Amino acid sequence: MAPPRILVVGAGFAGVECVRRLERRLAPGEAQITLVTPFSYQLYLPLLPQVASGVLTPQSVAVSLRRSRRHRTRIVPGGAIGVDTRAKVCVIRKITDEIVNEPYDYIVLAAGSVTRTFDIPGLLDNARGMKTLAEAAYVRDHVIAQLDLADASHDEAERASRLQFVVVGGGYAGTETAACLQRLTTSAVRHYPRLDARLIKWHLIDIAPKLMPELGDKLGQAALEVLRKRNIEVSLGVSIAKAGPEEVTFTDGRVLPCRTLIWTAGVAASPLIATLGAETVRGRLAVTPQLSLPGADGVFSLGDAAAVPDLAKGDGAVCPPTAQHAMRQGRVLADNLIASLRHQPLRDYVHKDLGLVVDLGGKDAVSKPLGIELRGLPAQAVARGYHWSALRTNVAKTRVATNWMLNAVAGDDFVRTGFQSRKPATLRDFEYTDAYLTPEQIKEHTASAVIKY
């Protein structure tokens, strides 16, 4: 009899942690493990703003899944675009564009999230995100290109518009992105004698009344003071009404000549979740505390894609989409999946949040580990120490530590690759949010699948 087939969708914090624990704890031949991911690396998402600003190289935050010689997981290079839970088939589009049916006995949906967008005119065509490695590299090239183009221009209006930068989203991603890229342009402009540094202006806007409210009033205000000291204009209670290629219209009526719009206003669960036709909570799959999907045999979900009950908080709260929850959910889910195979009882996921860290670049940071409020160098030490320790391999840890040290000693560099200079990219180009199937299309693909037990 063939061993049970375990299919894991997604190679983020949750998916990789689950796979690694399954590999360590399953006996040889007890199950077949397959991992579906378009890229054979695990991305350390919280450090993307530092990739965009050039503090870290892209390889530093992309941890290869193929370095280990001991792993026994089959990696399928592609993306899951639909799941038929009744037929127990996952529809996968490989990187060759071939669409295949992958049958399973157990499926782990760790598909993560995509950038949350709204029906704002011009947003999808003119904004860039900070959710993928390609986006971070693209944004870095684009920002440096604006300095080059402004330096080459003889039109004062064009020059001014190219030196205006807007970041939407006052959460961790947006705040860190604005802070890190502002440091980059401030350092770079010294090497452009024809540019007036006073023309460079960064704007951080958010519809919420407070910056990073999860940090509390004191640390949120401390972060706000750091940004404003750097001449980053922070506008709260404001969003985007219209996004054009050369200007941005705010909801308060302001029209800003601008060629750079970075959108980080939250995340939404992967569109894959909608293909299941199951109950969701704000787009995330509603699962039990044991991380299983009610009424669906052999279906588990976790991470950003799932609304996991936060039993430590209670009152119907769900776990926030953070790395610390995703990694711990991955371990619990792996244990529960093994328990299912061995007909043992499953356990609940319970974790008390350890706190938050926000790296604002240089010596600036705010952190709240275990409820202790820190700012400045102590906060920076905690933030970087946490990120460094969370990296999965010694190779990644060495690369990141070396990059930090080199940047501290030698300063920023302003090299742009130019790979995409002639091809503007959109949010859809980076995140492939239009690649998923409808429930009807999924049934057509899976109708001919032969399931062997």
Side-chain angles (χ1 to χ4, degrees), residues 325-406:
H325 278 289
M327 294 171 70
R328 289 165 176 79
Q329 288 169 12
R331 298 168 199 155
V332 171
L333 195 153
D335 291 343
N336 283 347
L337 208 160
I338 294 171
S340 296
L341 287 172
R342 299 172 182 173
H343 306 289
Q344 298 172 348
L346 279 60
R347 66 186 177 99
D348 291 346
Y349 171 75
V350 183
H351 170 64
K352 186 176 180 180
D353 204 300
L354 298 177
L356 306 162
V357 296
V358 182
D359 189 336
L360 300 174
K363 300 177 182 178
D364 296 321
V366 289
S367 301
K368 196 175 182 180
L370 302 175
I372 302 171
E373 296 185 347
L374 301 173
R375 64 188 72 183
L377 280 175
Q380 183 67 279
V382 169
R384 295 202 170 182
Y386 170 78
H387 289 316
W388 184 85
S389 64
L391 291 165
R392 192 171 53 80
T393 68
N394 290 330
V395 172
K397 290 179 179 180
T398 302
R399 282 176 174 163
V400 167
T402 302
N403 285 172
W404 279 338
M405 187 178 303
L406 184 62

Side-chain angles (χ1 to χ4, degrees), residues 50-58 136-148 181 184-185 187-188 191-192 407 411-419:
Q50 295 190 38
V51 173
S53 62
V55 173
L56 298 176
T57 61
Y138 182 92
V139 166
R140 172 176 169 77
D141 260 21
H142 175 80
V143 168
I144 297 175
Q146 298 315 298
L147 299 181
D148 290 338
L181 286 172
L184 174 67
T185 55
S187 298
H191 302 273
Y192 293 83
N407 181 262
D412 298 313
D413 70 79
F414 320 110
V415 176
R416 62 185 176 95
T417 61
F419 291 152

Side-chain angles (χ1 to χ4, degrees), residues 150-173:
D151 185 61
S153 176
H154 298 287
D155 185 321
E156 292 299 325
E158 179 188 351
R159 180 178 293 185
S161 71
R162 291 195 182 279
L163 298 179
Q164 297 267 14
F165 305 91
V166 176
V167 179
V168 183
Y172 310 112

Side-chain angles (χ1 to χ4, degrees), residues 272-317:
L272 176 68
I273 299 306
T275 71
L276 276 73
E279 182 184 352
T280 59
V281 178
R282 295 184 179 180
R284 300 166 70 186
L285 202 58
V287 298
T288 67
Q290 299 83 33
L291 307 175
S292 62
L293 180 64
D297 182 41
V299 180
F300 295 82
S301 187
L302 72 168
D304 291 9
V308 179
D310 192 341
L311 300 183
K313 288 185 178 179
D315 296 326

Side-chain angles (χ1 to χ4, degrees), residues 48-358:
L48 277 187
Q50 295 190 38
V51 173
S53 62
V55 173
L56 298 176
T57 61
Q59 293 92 332
S60 302
V61 300
V63 182
S64 173
L65 300 176
R66 297 188 185 274
R67 288 187 66 91
S68 173
R69 297 179 181 178
R70 292 177 296 176
H71 74 74
R72 49 196 171 96
T73 298
R74 177 171 69 99
I75 297 177
V76 177
I81 57 176
V83 178
D84 188 333
T85 57
R86 291 186 178 181
K88 287 197 169 184
V89 172
C90 180
V91 184
I92 298 170
R93 177 180 277 115
K94 293 186 175 180
I95 59 174
T96 59
D97 277 339
E98 177 189 6
I99 296 180
V100 298
N101 292 327
E102 185 71 33
Y104 65 84
D105 296 299
Y106 297 90
I107 189 169
V108 177
L109 298 172
S113 57
V114 296
T115 300
R116 181 181 62 182
T117 59
F118 300 96
D119 189 19
I120 298 173
L123 178 65
L124 294 178
D125 294 325
N126 298 296
R128 312 289 174 259
M130 190 57 64
K131 198 75 174 66
T132 69
L133 193 60
E135 281 178 314
Y138 182 92
V139 166
R140 172 176 169 77
D141 260 21
H142 175 80
V143 168
I144 297 175
Q146 298 315 298
L147 299 181
D148 290 338
L149 291 167
D151 185 61
S153 176
H154 298 287
D155 185 321
E156 292 299 325
E158 179 188 351
R159 180 178 293 185
S161 71
R162 291 195 182 279
L163 298 179
Q164 297 267 14
F165 305 91
V166 176
V167 179
V168 183
Y172 310 112
T175 302
E176 290 186 338
T177 296
C180 290
L181 286 172
Q182 183 273 338
R183 280 179 55 86
L184 174 67
T185 55
T186 299
S187 298
V189 76
R190 300 168 187 162
H191 302 273
Y192 293 83
R194 295 182 66 247
L195 294 183
D196 184 349
R198 293 172 297 181
L199 290 178
I200 297 180
K201 189 70 177 179
W202 281 86
H203 303 260
L204 176 63
I205 70 171
D206 192 83
I207 196 66
K210 295 181 180 179
L211 195 68
M212 297 181 293
E214 297 89 344
L215 284 174
D217 291 342
K218 288 184 179 179
L219 286 185
Q221 185 62 32
L224 186 61
E225 290 172 2
V226 168
L227 298 179
R228 286 179 170 163
K229 183 181 286 187
R230 295 192 194 170
N231 292 320
I232 298 175
E233 184 173 319
V234 180
S235 300
L236 300 174
V238 177
S239 189
I240 295 294
K242 183 179 179 182
E246 298 182 6
E247 66 178 25
V248 174
T249 304
F250 295 171
T251 52
D252 61 5
R254 285 180 290 165
V255 178
L256 183 72
C258 171
R259 310 289 182 104
T260 305
L261 175 60
I262 302 173
W263 181 267
T264 64
V267 297
S270 166
L272 176 68
I273 299 306
T275 71
L276 276 73
E279 182 184 352
T280 59
V281 178
R282 295 184 179 180
R284 300 166 70 186
L285 202 58
V287 298
T288 67
Q290 299 83 33
L291 307 175
S292 62
L293 180 64
D297 182 41
V299 180
F300 295 82
S301 187
L302 72 168
D304 291 9
V308 179
D310 192 341
L311 300 183
K313 288 185 178 179
D315 296 326
V318 298
C319 297
T322 61
Q324 63 174 291
H325 278 289
M327 294 171 70
R328 289 165 176 79
Q329 288 169 12
R331 298 168 199 155
V332 171
L333 195 153
D335 291 343
N336 283 347
L337 208 160
I338 294 171
S340 296
L341 287 172
R342 299 172 182 173
H343 306 289
Q344 298 172 348
L346 279 60
R347 66 186 177 99
D348 291 346
Y349 171 75
V350 183
H351 170 64
K352 186 176 180 180
D353 204 300
L354 298 177
L356 306 162
V357 296
V358 182

Side-chain angles (χ1 to χ4, degrees), residues 10-19 42 110 302-304 326-327 329-331:
F13 290 106
V16 170
E17 198 67 28
C18 178
V19 166
Q42 178 192 4
L302 72 168
D304 291 9
M327 294 171 70
Q329 288 169 12
R331 298 168 199 155

